[in-house]
Amino acid sequence: MASIKESDGETITFKSLGLTDVLCEACLALNWKIPTDIQREALPLAFQGRDIIGLAETGSGKTGSFALPILQSLLESPSRLYALVLTPTRELAFQIGEQFEALGAGIGVKVSVIVGGVDMVTQSLNLAKKPHIIIATPGRLVDHLENTKGFNLRSLRFLVMDEADRILNMDFETEVDKLLKVIPRERTTYLYSATMTKKVAKLQRASLHNPVKLEVSTKYQTVAKLKQYYLFIPCKYKDCYLVSLLNELAGNSFMVFCGTCNNTQRTALLLRNLGLHAIPLHGKMPQAKRLGALNKFKDKSQSILVATDVASRGLDIPHVDVVINFDIPTHSKDYIHRVGRTARAGRSGRAVTFVTQYDVELYQRIETLIDQKLSLYPTVEEEVLAMMERVAEAQRHAKMELQESSLEKKRKGLEAEEKKKPYAKRRKVDTENI
Ligand code: AMP
């Protein structure tokens, strides 16, 4: 990272921005030697107590730009249930939780990550201990507010919405409205995203006080070191092209994005049947498996993460070399987030988007959004289709495996239902016929 000089020639450091010594040490321990652009802009304003809307590229260090001021304020006036960070995905919540814990380790900060798919009772016990910082997905937090005795957010001083445009969109409308009703209006609010909404009505819902808007990247620009390509192919050959691309670029780390949980699972099975080190990540997997998949990809024991958009936002995995949009994103903004998984921390990266005869309109919307024409990824069709037979065989196996696992789930569901009935009313579950 280049050294940044103030006009009088002094190097800008965390200390010169006003960060207290103990937190400067915490940054150094994480090897954060100089503040990133967004941190340089955000910290002084945050120390003045301003509300902030931050438009920052993924990987820009935006977590630090809201975590550090919160921790500094907490040091000045210690109190429990001090800050709430809302995120759209569970994985992002854990990632932010880790950063708060790392930065706050020296000052004894207690952090709770409250997300779905994890035991509610354990979470209730954690909340009863009144952590300083809560990182949560909206649905589970509302669940606790409604059902966990004694838990409320009345003492909250900071509210952060990370990936705020996603949090403020329709999917989370009910939960966010409920949360905003029980959070003090006298608070500091930070909204951060790489693709911030401009819709005033939505922003007003977050009830900011005279916010300052920071922008460290031009509108919806993806990083300069990212090479972006498209492949225009018939829909029926998508699997074949995917396998061919993964073989051609073997040795790299890939994220392959699919449109649905089912297609994610199918694609991962297909690739595994062909001997490739692929692992799925989607919302229909149990939480422990989701984190397991992410960790296996992070520690490089699996080189291909096949995922839905649950993995497209905010995840910090520096070694992703290639992003493949196997299914084109239906919301063009998701394109920015997906390809933002690569070319991180100064590295270069590639993104290849599959465009079939059905995707032309969506593709054009992406080009308009990023104001850029993608290059055609060079392929030789005969060479790709030479793999057709092997791919077809792997497709058949993947289909069978999917059917078997859905039968297994049904069987387990029925067995669980049966166990709930009084013994006399139980019928033997005939697993053969399901
Ligand atoms: P984020 O954009 O918050 O997801 O951060 C992306 C990555 O940058 C994380 O791995 C952080 O640990 C790292 N990072 C954040 N701030 C700095 C800094 N000032 N210097 C070096 N690395 C940083």
Side-chain angles (χ1 to χ4, degrees), residues 1 14 32 34-36 39 59-63 95 99 316:
M1 214 174 291
F14 282 109
W32 297 8
I34 317 167
T36 63
Q39 290 162 358
S60 60
K62 61 190 160 99
T63 315
Q95 183 180 297
Q99 280 209 33
D316 178 37

Side-chain angles (χ1 to χ4, degrees), residues 19-34:
L19 194 68
T20 187
D21 286 349
V22 58
L23 290 173
C24 288
E25 281 162 25
C27 290
L28 212 55
L30 292 181
N31 210 16
W32 297 8
K33 293 181 183 131
I34 317 167

Side-chain angles (χ1 to χ4, degrees), residues 55-69:
L55 183 64
E57 261 168 23
T58 37
S60 60
K62 61 190 160 99
T63 315
S65 50
F66 60 75
L68 289 168

Side-chain angles (χ1 to χ4, degrees), residues 99-304:
Q99 280 209 33
F100 264 100
E101 269 175 354
L103 289 169
I107 54 172
V109 168
K110 297 273 173 293
V111 180
S112 264
V113 176
I114 301 295
V115 297
V118 178
D119 178 44
M120 280 252 331
V121 179
T122 318
Q123 286 180 346
S124 302
L125 293 173
N126 275 335
L127 290 175
K129 289 183 197 151
K130 298 200 186 312
H132 300 102
I133 318 281
I134 297 175
I135 328 284
T137 47
R140 178 55 69 92
L141 189 66
V142 168
D143 212 348
H144 278 290
L145 281 165
E146 289 173 347
N147 300 306
T148 297
K149 263 198 179 155
F151 172 56
N152 66 67
L153 291 169
R154 286 196 285 268
S155 58
L156 211 69
R157 300 275 298 277
F158 283 88
L159 171 68
V160 183
M161 294 188 189
D162 195 24
E163 304 296 339
D165 56 335
R166 178 90 179 76
I167 297 272
L168 288 169
N169 83 6
M170 300 294 281
D171 299 354
F172 293 107
E173 195 174 13
T174 323
E175 288 89 350
V176 169
D177 284 347
K178 279 185 185 167
L179 286 169
L180 289 172
K181 274 194 195 124
V182 298
I183 293 174
R185 288 184 73 82
E186 274 309 305
R187 60 161 197 264
T188 307
T189 308
Y190 301 145
L191 308 186
Y192 276 90
S193 182
T195 52
M196 185 53 84
T197 181
K198 271 202 164 167
K199 295 192 182 126
V200 178
K202 279 192 184 174
L203 288 173
Q204 273 172 352
R205 282 181 57 226
S207 44
L208 299 146
H209 300 293
N210 185 22
V212 46
K213 192 170 175 200
L214 305 178
E215 195 167 329
V216 296
S217 59
T218 49
K219 186 175 175 280
Y220 301 157
Q221 193 186 33
T222 35
V223 283
K225 289 196 169 175
L226 173 69
K227 291 211 168 65
Q228 301 175 74
Y229 301 94
Y230 75 96
L231 255 176
F232 189 56
I233 49 175
C235 188
K236 61 180 176 183
Y237 296 146
K238 275 174 92 175
D239 285 347
C240 221
Y241 271 90
L242 175 64
V243 175
S244 159
L245 193 60
L246 292 170
N247 281 336
E248 182 196 331
L249 301 176
N252 287 294
S253 277
F254 299 88
M255 281 181 86
V256 177
F257 283 101
C258 297
T260 62
C261 297
N262 204 49
N263 202 28
T264 303
Q265 190 71 26
R266 183 203 70 88
T267 307
L269 287 172
L270 168 95
L271 299 177
R272 290 179 83 91
N273 286 337
L274 287 162
L276 294 161
H277 295 280
I279 192 156
L281 173 62
H282 57 77
K284 286 204 178 138
M285 286 161 62
Q287 188 54 34
K289 278 202 166 168
R290 279 168 66 165
L291 283 177
L294 199 56
N295 286 337
K296 279 185 187 154
F297 184 62
K298 277 186 171 172
D299 70 20
K300 302 189 186 177
S301 52
Q302 299 284 339
S303 57
I304 306 166

